[in-house]
Amino acid sequence: MAKGEKRDREQITEDGGVSLSLVVGGIIGLAVVVFILQNRRDTKVDFLIFDIQQPLWIILALTGALSIVGAGLVGRALGRRRRRED
């Protein structure tokens, strides 16, 4: 491998075993399936003018996704402000 060259991560290691990233990904996938199966009951949410009733896992996933998007937007805005000040 040449110096500075990025090494591609493979799903199967050179000795025929499974890579750590594949094992961790499988565990996370299994945890998500278990989470969904345990949180299927409907939950009512009242927010401003919205009144919805969805399974709990959908509400939590939507809340998490919106939080990630919001944090990204705030981080981007702060990054632009800092660059202008420099």
Side-chain angles (χ1 to χ4, degrees), residues 31-66:
V32 168
V33 170
V34 169
F35 176 80
I36 289 170
L37 292 175
Q38 289 182 340
N39 292 287
R40 291 182 300 166
R41 65 185 160 84
D42 280 355
T43 303
K44 183 179 175 187
V45 175
D46 296 316
F47 179 69
L48 300 175
I49 61 171
F50 304 104
D51 183 19
I52 61 171
Q53 188 164 347
Q54 293 291 324
L56 181 60
W57 73 270
I58 291 177
I59 293 170
L60 292 173
L62 182 61
T63 302
L66 290 174

Side-chain angles (χ1 to χ4, degrees), residues 13-29:
T13 60
E14 293 175 9
D15 63 354
V18 179
S19 71
L20 179 62
S21 61
L22 187 60
V23 171
V24 171
I27 291 171
I28 291 172

